[in-house]
């Protein structure tokens, strides 16, 4: 079986997904594209020599002969497209955010549950990174006993003028929110945001860096540092302190250099290169799970909802400086996989 896929949104990330499915992933083909920029979409068809049709609207694409939809459009447009696709019974791979509000995510959950089967996978790719998978396996095996404390950092060399203070949570930390929730298998209970001494390199309208403190329902303490104008590299770190030891996210493989009385290794500057394999792996999982089980893999729509509820509380904490409660209901049996 070859999964016939349509792509809604052919900007940077959409183009990259088209490239990986066309050149590196088996079991699927791109047969339809939709974008407000028709010229760009048609250029992609030519560039990749796709046997694909262009559709002016997402509704027309969803109604066409496609099995699955990749939603990689502008974030605020995700919810509407996803709801249309679910109503049509089509499989959906949705880039984050699933929706821009927790209420929007809940509408998607309700629509999916009404269909009676899981149709959607959210594009939180870190769960498919080899290093995070190693952390998960060790934690599940109780290699260091119960986790007690986590510390992590999400550093970017720089961000552009459109980046705002709230994006440190809703666009940057959102990846940690999802992957740490998965790692410790424990819901969040509270969040607080602190602003340490600010970098001279930040934009005038931006608070940078930021420190976030999350606490889970079982009492695990999570310290997260967000620094989006660090200058030196794209640097992702994670460390888990348990009852009987410590786990650390492996460093990215790099050539060691000894020269001029110095020992050095190169660091990455591009987040896409850091998680290139993870992006490939998540699409392999999406395609293979549909073929083998009839439903996509994880993260689920519920995971997207958890991330949205937590991010909403995080933005509130940015503004208040106080500890903000995170109210999450029990995970429905429908999403226990």
């Amino acid at each position: 079986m070859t999964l016939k896929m349509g792509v809604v949104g052919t900007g940077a990330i959409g183009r990259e997904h088209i490239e990986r499915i066309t050149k590196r992933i088996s079991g699927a083909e791109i047969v339809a594209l939709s974008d407000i920029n028709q010229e760009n979409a048609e250029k992609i068809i030519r560039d990749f020599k796709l046997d694909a049709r262009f559709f002016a609207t997402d509704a027309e694409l969803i109604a066409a002969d496609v099995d699955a939809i990749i939603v990689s459009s502008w974030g605020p447009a995700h919810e509407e497209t996803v709801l249309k696709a679910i109503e049509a019974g089509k499989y959906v791979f949705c880039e984050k955010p699933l929706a821009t509000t927790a209420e929007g995510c809940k509408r998607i959950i309700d629509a999916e549950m009404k269909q009676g089967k899981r149709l959607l996978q959210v594009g939180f790719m870190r769960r498919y990174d080899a290093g995070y998978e190693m952390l998960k396996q060790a934690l599940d095996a109780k290699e260091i006993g119960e986790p007690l404390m986590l510390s992590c950092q999400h550093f970017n060399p720089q961000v552009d003028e459109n980046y705002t203070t709230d994006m440190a949570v809703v666009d940057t930390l959102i990846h940690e929110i999802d992957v740490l929730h998965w790692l410790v298998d424990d819901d969040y209970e509270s969040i607080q945001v602190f602003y340490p001494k600010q970098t001279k390199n930040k934009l005038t309208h931006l608070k940078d860096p930021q420190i976030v403190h999350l606490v889970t329902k079982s009492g695990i303490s999570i310290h997260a540092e967000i620094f989006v104008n660090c200058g030196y590299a794209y640097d992702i770190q994670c460390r888990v302190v348990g009852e009987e030891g410590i786990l650390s996210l492996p460093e990215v493989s790099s050539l060691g250099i000894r020269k001029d009385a110095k020992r050095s290794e190169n660091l990455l500057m591009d987040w896409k290169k850091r998680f290139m394999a993870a992006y490939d792996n998540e699409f392999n999982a999406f395609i293979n799970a549909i073929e083998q089980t009839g439903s996509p893999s994880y993260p689920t729509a519920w995971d997207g909802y958890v991330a949205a509820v937590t991010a909403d509380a995080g933005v509130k904490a940015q503004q208040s400086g106080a500890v903000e409660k995170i109210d999450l209901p029990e995970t429905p049996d429908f999403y226990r996989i």
Side-chain angles (χ1 to χ4, degrees):
M1 167 182 158
T2 298
L3 204 66
K4 292 180 286 188
M5 305 185 81
V7 180
V8 177
T10 60
I13 192 67
R15 183 184 177 96
E16 288 188 10
H17 290 335
I18 291 166
E19 180 177 9
R20 69 176 33 91
I21 289 167
T22 303
K23 296 184 176 181
R24 298 195 297 276
I25 304 295
S26 61
E29 61 178 338
I30 304 297
V31 300
L33 303 179
S34 179
D35 196 287
I36 57 172
N37 186 339
Q38 180 173 348
E39 182 179 348
N40 181 65
E42 291 180 340
K43 182 177 185 300
I44 287 175
I45 291 173
R46 294 192 301 272
D47 289 348
F48 292 100
K49 299 180 174 59
L50 299 177
D51 183 14
R53 289 181 60 194
F54 172 80
F55 293 90
T57 68
D58 58 353
E60 291 174 296
L61 182 146
I62 291 165
D65 184 20
V66 295
D67 303 311
I69 315 298
I70 298 173
V71 180
S72 50
S73 53
W74 184 48
H78 287 187
E79 179 187 347
E80 183 179 351
T81 300
V82 168
L83 287 172
K84 291 175 186 174
I86 289 175
E87 185 177 355
K90 303 293 177 78
Y91 295 111
V92 184
F93 180 95
C94 182
E95 269 302 334
K96 62 92 178 170
L98 177 57
T100 54
T101 65
E103 292 79 8
C105 291
K106 187 61 169 59
R107 285 189 286 270
I108 291 170
I109 287 168
D110 292 342
E112 189 176 41
M113 292 180 71
K114 184 178 178 181
Q115 285 284 349
K117 65 179 291 188
R118 288 197 305 104
L119 295 168
L120 184 137
Q121 181 174 325
V122 184
F124 286 122
M125 75 293 186
R126 288 202 192 178
R127 297 191 188 201
Y128 292 94
D129 174 75
Y132 280 107
E133 287 181 331
M134 291 169 67
L135 280 180
K136 178 64 172 171
Q137 290 166 7
L139 285 167
D140 286 352
K142 305 297 182 184
E143 291 282 353
I144 57 169
E146 291 295 325
L148 307 174
M149 300 179 287
L150 279 76
S151 59
C152 57
Q153 68 178 54
H154 190 148
F155 286 10
N156 289 66
Q158 63 183 35
V159 289
D160 62 33
E161 290 284 343
N162 296 323
Y163 194 97
T164 54
T165 294
D166 65 305
M167 291 175 69
V169 170
V170 301
D171 194 61
T172 299
L173 184 72
I174 198 76
H175 286 288
E176 276 76 19
I177 288 172
D178 175 72
V179 78
L180 301 183
H181 176 255
W182 170 68
L183 282 177
V184 301
D185 193 23
D186 192 8
D187 283 340
Y188 300 119
E189 185 163 277
S190 67
I191 187 168
Q192 189 172 17
V193 179
F194 304 90
Y195 300 111
K197 184 176 180 178
Q198 300 289 281
T199 175
K200 67 181 181 180
N201 298 317
K202 73 179 182 68
L203 305 168
T204 56
H205 63 269
L206 174 64
K207 292 183 178 179
D208 187 43
Q210 301 181 35
I211 296 173
V212 177
H213 183 223
L214 283 153
V215 179
T216 71
K217 288 186 175 179
S218 72
I220 300 171
S221 176
I222 298 171
H223 174 93
E225 299 174 357
I226 310 160
F227 190 8
V228 296
N229 289 283
C230 76
Y232 73 87
Y234 179 72
D235 197 2
I236 302 298
Q237 302 289 330
C238 184
R239 181 172 178 265
V240 185
V241 177
E243 297 169 308
E244 300 164 3
I246 296 173
L247 300 171
S248 296
L249 182 70
E251 292 283 353
V252 178
S253 179
S254 175
L255 180 69
I257 302 173
R258 292 171 182 259
K259 184 178 180 181
D260 298 331
K262 295 179 182 178
R263 182 176 60 196
S264 64
E265 294 180 350
N266 291 328
L267 298 175
L268 295 173
M269 297 294 285
D270 187 345
W271 59 270
K272 294 188 292 295
K273 291 183 179 179
R274 169 64 178 84
F275 290 108
M276 179 69 73
Y279 278 114
D280 290 350
N281 293 341
E282 70 176 350
F283 270 96
N284 273 320
F286 177 75
I287 295 163
N288 293 338
I290 290 171
E291 181 178 358
Q292 294 166 13
T293 71
S295 289
S297 190
Y298 56 81
T300 66
W302 185 260
D303 294 312
Y305 174 69
V306 169
V309 170
T310 306
D312 285 352
V315 172
K316 187 176 180 182
Q318 285 179 316
Q319 297 164 354
S320 71
V323 175
E324 297 293 346
K325 188 170 175 55
I326 300 169
D327 292 313
L328 280 168
E330 288 295 316
T331 306
D333 290 340
F334 185 86
Y335 289 106
R336 293 187 183 277
I337 59 172

